[in-house]
Amino acid sequence: MNSDVTSLPFGPLGRSAFHICVDMQRIFLEPGPWFGPPGLEIIPNICALADHAADRVLFTRFITAQDADHAKGAWQRYYRHWDAVTQQKAGSEILRLHSDLARRARAENVYDKITHDAFDNPAFGMRLAEEGATTVVLSGVETDVCVLATALSAVDLGYRVIIATDAVASSAPASHDACLAHVYPRFDQQVELALTADIIAQWSLSCPSS
């Protein structure tokens, strides 16, 4: 399916576009309960996007609860099930960005969240608004969880959303494929699917347009 995506249906990108790299952290990229090997395969494409627009990239991190008792509502059940990834058990180092992305990140462009959706961190949404962003290019993990949650919030907020199809991944390949083949295309007037190389080729940083 992805090989057919060769252009951006709604035109090129300019400086009002931001690249959002979602949750490319050690907890998802190293052996452990949440390890998703496909995430390692997309690192070169994410780095290419980040290097292309180095001043237009934001990184998010999913911060696990200290323990189940410190979580809210149904998240307590979630962390009782995933006790091994709580900070009490796994520590906080595992929440750091993968080293290849950490080298491209700065304190001021990393946003932590405790839910799937990046927009649940008010500072994240405020940063995009202050920068005059109109478009978000999404990469990272997981296609069917945090990338999806962030994409749907961006849609509701009126952003043009572009999924870099070869720069997103999931530990559940069938769910990843289903999102790209069936879920995202349901939002065909608000969500575009494109390959990393095509996004970069059509993203001019000297142009103010979206």
Side-chain angles (χ1 to χ4, degrees):
M1 176 230 177
N2 295 348
S3 62
D4 297 336
V5 183
T6 57
S7 63
L8 297 175
F10 302 124
L13 305 180
R15 288 194 62 79
S16 61
F18 265 76
H19 168 207
I20 311 302
C21 175
V22 178
D23 301 356
M24 288 294 287
Q25 299 161 254
R26 292 176 56 194
I27 194 169
F28 302 113
L29 302 171
E30 297 179 7
W34 282 355
F35 180 38
L40 296 172
E41 299 172 8
I42 63 174
I43 290 174
N45 287 334
I46 294 177
C47 289
L49 283 167
D51 291 344
H52 176 72
D55 65 335
R56 320 301 284 175
V57 57
L58 305 180
F59 298 87
T60 71
R61 299 192 310 165
F62 183 85
I63 304 301
T64 60
Q66 185 65 30
D67 54 47
D69 290 339
H70 283 82
K72 180 180 180 180
W75 285 101
Q76 291 187 348
R77 179 173 63 247
Y78 180 87
Y79 282 114
R80 280 193 287 270
H81 177 79
W82 293 109
D83 180 63
V85 303
T86 61
Q87 292 188 55
Q88 184 180 72
K89 293 293 181 67
S92 60
E93 288 297 308
I94 200 69
L95 301 178
R96 292 183 178 274
L97 294 174
H98 183 278
S99 58
D100 288 356
L101 284 309
R103 286 195 291 270
R104 293 167 165 83
R106 307 177 303 280
E108 62 269 21
N109 69 347
V110 177
Y111 292 86
D112 291 346
K113 57 191 179 67
I114 60 173
T115 69
H116 303 309
D117 180 5
F119 286 94
D120 278 351
N121 180 339
F124 173 82
M126 189 177 302
R127 173 69 180 276
L128 289 176
E130 289 174 347
E131 296 280 0
T134 64
T135 299
V136 291
V137 176
L138 297 182
S139 69
V141 296
E142 290 188 303
T143 314
D144 48 336
V145 186
C146 292
V147 174
L148 176 61
T150 299
L152 293 182
S153 281
V155 165
D156 283 347
L157 290 166
Y159 287 99
R160 177 185 179 187
V161 178
I162 298 168
I163 308 294
T165 57
D166 54 353
V168 293
S170 173
S171 58
S175 185
H176 163 87
D177 291 343
C179 276
L180 294 180
H182 302 294
V183 178
Y184 291 119
R186 287 275 288 160
F187 303 90
D188 61 343
Q189 298 304 303
Q190 295 159 306
V191 176
E192 297 158 77
L193 304 177
L195 298 172
T196 295
D198 293 319
I199 293 169
I200 291 173
Q202 297 179 75
W203 189 350
S204 172
L205 297 174
S206 62
C207 174
S209 68
S210 60

